[in-house]
Each structure stands twice: as C-alpha cells, then as structure tokens.
Amino acid sequence: MESYKLTDLCYYVGVNDRHKSLFENMIPLSNGVSYNSYLINDQKKVLIDTVESPFFEGLLANIHSVIGDAELDYVVVNHVEPDHSSGLLMLKRIYPGMQIVANKKAIEMIKGYYGIEDGYIEVKDGEVLNLGTKNIQFYCTPMVHWPEVMMTYFVEDKILFSADAFGCFGALNGAVIDKDMDLEIYYSEMYRYYANIVGKYGLPVQNALKKLSSLQIDMICSTHGPVWSQCVNHVVEVYDKLSKYEAQEGVVIVYGSMYGHTEQMAEMIARGAATVVKHVKLHDVSRSDSADIITDLFKYKGFVCGSPTYCGELYPGIASLLMKVETRGIKNRIFGCFGSFTWAGATMKPFSAFAEKMKWNISGTVEVKQTMSELQQDELFELGKNIALLTKN
Ligand code: FEO
C-alpha cells in the first residue's frame, strides 16, 4: 500500500494484514483486515492512530511518501487497543519530538502498555486543536469499543476519524474509498465485525450516534475497512439498527448433535420455519464458527437452539455458544429450544436459565427421548413455523 489522497491535506496511510488468521485470536479472518491510519499534512503534521507493530514499516513508508523527511508533530490516539497503538513506541523513537494527543484515560493506558512517560497533549471532550490552517476536534465516545475511545473530527474537511466504529473486516484490495470498490464483501464483514467486536456496546453506540448527529460528515475514516464517502448515511443506518438490536424476519437454528438425532430435530424445525420465512439458517455448533453464528443472531429475530444431554448438562459447544451470546447482551429475540436424551433429560433447565438471563420469553420447546415419534416430528415442525411467524411481526 502507498499513501492515498483523500482531500487536499488528508491521506490514507494504513496497511493491510493478510497474514493473521484469527482476529483477537478468536475470529476467523478469511478476507484479512486493514489497520487504517490517516495523515493530515497541514503546517502541523498529524497522524491519526498507528497500526499493529508487525506492520509498522509499512506505515512508516506511507508516512514518508507524504511528508518525506519532515518531522511528525502529533499522533492522535483515538483508541489504545494494540491493533492501533502498538506502533506507537517505534513511532516515538523515530519522531522523538512528536507529541501524543489523547484523552486522560487513553494516556493512562499508553503509559501502562508502552511506558511512554511524557510528550502528551491531554485533550478533553469537545476541545479543538489548531493545525495551522485547519482544525481537528475531539469527541469522547466511551465504550465504542473501549472506555478511552474518542473520535476526531477534521472540521474544515468534514471528515470523522471514527476509531473502530463503522469499521469492518476485510483487507483493502487496491482502492481505499467506497465509491471505487465492490462493497459486497465489506458490508457482509461489517455485520460480522459489529456482532463480534462492538456488539455488546449497543447503548454506547447509540450515545455516540446522538452526540455526533449534529456534525456534517462527508467522510468516515474508520480504523478498519474502506473509507466511507458515498455510503456515509448507509453505514450510520446500519450501526443505528444493529446497536438497537433490530433484526429482520428469519430463524437461526443452532444445534449440537453426536449421533444425528438432535440434528434430525433441527431439520424438522427448519422445515416448519421455511414454510413461513425465506431466511432460515442452520448451524451445527461443532462445524460453524461461533463468530458466524453470532453474526446471524444479530441479523435475524428468531433463535432456536438444540442440545443433547451431555454428562447431565448441555452439549459443551452449545453451553459455550450461549455464554458468548449472553456476553453480547443481544436483546429482543424470539427464542425456542429443543433437546434430546437417552436416559435423563437435562437441557431444558439450562435453556430456561439462559432465556431468563437474556430477558427473552421461550416461545416453544420440544424434548425427545432417544428418537422422535411422529407426534414429536409434528411438534418440531410447528415449533419452527411458530417461531418464524413471530419474527414476521
Ligand atoms: Fe480495532 Fe478495538 O480495535
């Protein structure tokens, strides 16, 4: 990658990571990821966020391509998570006079992670920093992903440097701005990114959207994925909807199964659901990645989960999935559950406890001993149909 001009003074200087297979060592990166940095080349030269340290050389080359041998005056740290800050120490060694512009919480974290003790400009919510001819302004947006997160607004150019917000997985394939690329993959990756990274923080995202609502924004420059220009309104709408946990009609059926009996139950539920809605997603918890399941749970209103009794408890893959769903705090889903057992059923109790924690009603259950009777097949079909119908309201 090279620097890429966004406006007369503003450049994209980020890098692609096509090497990492698991983001946060958990979430598959089948399309890679970008770590986005931006440079404002005013009288003061300002870098907005850095990149993960193994990619620092690429960032540095991109900076040099814009400012040559000139000094960097400031680096703004919108977010301290190491995918954006672990290049800081190397940057500071190369530009020792550079000042780190960050809020109080971020400065504490930077000191803790990197031992950089001085050279800070501490900024507060709403404060403006003059760069010579133009200005940047800071908006604290805590918990849009971490507590120190802020966004930086390039006032005259109407660009919002939004940290992780509006970001997505997917390395950039040549182009940087949305209008120059096929966006299909990035929209899909935005859902997966939101669900798995930001998903827990619906209320803070809503607060941030309200706080920023009076700004004229011509461009959103996130820390991951494309720069949004023609799609600004669309990505804001996507975030608004996701952070309210709004979802579309459709049913996600997730099951664990050792010998296929619980899987057969899932198939019957899917048959019933598919008579009502087109979006019916089946996930075998032992085969689908939980990141994809959670993404579907953000997309669709209906969730039917099934488990065999295993050592007197839920099947471990299902127990683990439910914990991840609980962590995300997903609201307002239409929930059903089903279970199977050989000699003593033990799945309905933990399913009930899960639904209670999520504040969801249970809209149907079926439990089968050993194998389905004809009556139970009908019950499962009806369960799928009923949940699907409820998602249509
Ligand atoms: Fe891309 Fe929360 O860091």
Side-chain angles (χ1 to χ4, degrees):
M1 295 293 287
E2 290 188 340
S3 63
Y4 188 107
K5 197 164 189 169
L6 299 174
T7 62
D8 61 336
L9 296 184
C10 185
Y11 295 79
Y12 175 87
V13 290
V15 299
N16 282 320
D17 181 350
R18 302 181 194 275
H19 300 198
K20 188 179 281 185
S21 54
L22 295 173
F23 194 77
E24 295 183 347
N25 210 15
M26 282 184 293
I27 302 156
L29 283 178
S30 41
N31 299 300
V33 65
S34 68
Y35 309 121
N36 297 345
S37 276
Y38 303 92
L39 184 61
I40 301 174
N41 190 18
D42 202 342
Q43 288 167 12
K44 296 290 187 186
K45 298 177 188 338
V46 190
L47 185 70
I48 313 285
D49 292 308
T50 71
V51 300
E52 195 162 328
S53 55
F55 299 88
F56 179 76
E57 290 296 330
L59 170 67
L60 192 61
N62 292 345
I63 294 171
H64 281 152
S65 76
V66 180
I67 64 169
D69 293 331
E71 290 295 310
L72 204 55
D73 296 287
Y74 306 128
V75 57
V76 172
V77 179
N78 282 327
H79 182 20
V80 186
E81 191 163 10
D83 52 335
H84 309 298
S85 74
S86 57
L88 263 182
L89 200 53
M90 286 182 266
L91 194 71
K92 184 78 177 159
R93 285 186 188 131
I94 287 166
Y95 299 108
M98 175 194 77
Q99 291 180 291
I100 298 172
V101 180
N103 61 44
K104 189 170 184 230
K105 278 199 184 91
I107 291 171
E108 282 167 16
M109 291 181 184
I110 295 165
K111 286 181 177 175
Y113 269 120
Y114 308 113
I116 301 172
E117 287 301 324
D118 47 28
Y120 291 98
I121 297 178
E122 183 182 321
V123 293
K124 293 190 170 56
D125 190 37
E127 207 169 317
V128 174
L129 182 65
N130 181 261
L131 306 179
T133 66
K134 298 191 179 184
N135 298 280
I136 52 177
Q137 187 169 21
F138 308 101
Y139 289 86
C140 291
T141 52
M143 300 316 301
V144 182
H145 179 211
W146 279 17
E148 86 297 358
V149 167
M150 66 178 190
M151 301 189 194
T152 298
Y153 183 58
F154 190 8
V155 178
E156 288 77 8
D157 288 30
K158 301 180 174 54
I159 298 176
L160 182 70
F161 301 102
S162 63
D164 283 344
F166 313 108
C168 58
F169 297 128
L172 299 176
N173 298 317
V176 169
I177 304 183
D178 56 4
K179 65 183 174 53
D180 299 328
M181 61 178 79
D182 178 353
L183 291 169
E184 192 179 341
I185 204 161
Y186 298 106
Y187 281 143
S188 151
E189 287 286 36
M190 178 176 272
Y191 274 83
R192 210 166 65 91
Y193 181 86
Y194 183 91
N196 290 284
I197 305 294
V198 192
K200 179 181 171 64
Y201 306 110
L203 185 59
V205 171
Q206 280 292 307
N207 292 339
L209 291 175
K210 281 189 196 100
K211 188 170 196 168
L212 301 167
S213 62
S214 62
L215 295 180
Q216 167 71 42
I217 298 171
D218 289 350
M219 221 177 256
I220 292 178
C221 293
S222 169
T223 45
H224 301 288
V227 166
W228 304 110
S229 63
Q230 66 181 22
C231 304
V232 165
N233 290 341
H234 180 66
V235 297
V236 170
E237 276 167 25
V238 169
Y239 255 63
D240 185 36
K241 197 172 144 189
L242 285 170
S243 57
K244 289 177 183 160
Y245 301 95
E246 286 178 4
Q248 57 178 302
E249 66 181 41
V251 182
V252 185
I253 303 163
V254 188
Y255 63 92
S257 188
M258 289 178 280
Y259 297 102
H261 300 91
T262 321
E263 184 174 66
Q264 287 167 8
M265 296 172 76
E267 297 280 7
M268 277 321 287
I269 293 167
R271 278 285 168 86
T275 61
V276 179
V277 292
K278 281 188 176 165
H279 297 293
V280 179
K281 299 284 186 117
L282 257 85
H283 288 286
D284 175 348
V285 79
S286 299
R287 295 179 191 280
S288 293
D289 192 275
S290 63
D292 293 330
I293 300 174
I294 287 167
T295 304
D296 277 343
L297 293 179
F298 269 85
K299 274 189 195 165
Y300 302 109
K301 286 187 203 166
F303 176 28
V304 189
C305 192
S307 171
T309 294
Y310 185 91
C311 295
E313 297 181 37
L314 288 174
Y315 189 65
I318 292 294
S320 165
L321 176 76
L322 296 188
M323 190 190 72
K324 289 172 186 167
V325 174
E326 202 184 318
T327 301
R328 300 306 186 287
I330 302 173
K331 299 190 193 332
N332 304 324
R333 291 299 179 264
I334 294 149
F335 182 60
C337 52
F338 58 105
S340 66
F341 62 95
T342 304
W343 68 93
T347 57
M348 293 298 122
K349 204 170 157 189
F351 275 137
S352 295
F354 165 75
E356 198 174 321
K357 277 188 211 153
M358 300 301 293
K359 300 189 172 65
W360 299 345
N361 293 324
I362 297 182
S363 300
T365 65
V366 177
E367 198 175 24
V368 164
K369 184 174 181 180
Q370 291 144 9
T371 193
M372 291 182 284
S373 65
E374 273 187 29
L375 177 63
Q376 285 169 325
Q377 289 184 31
D378 292 344
E379 286 173 0
L380 289 159
F381 184 91
E382 288 303 317
L383 170 62
K385 197 171 159 187
N386 184 38
I387 298 271
L389 277 169
L390 291 170
T391 73
K392 285 175 82 76
N393 298 325

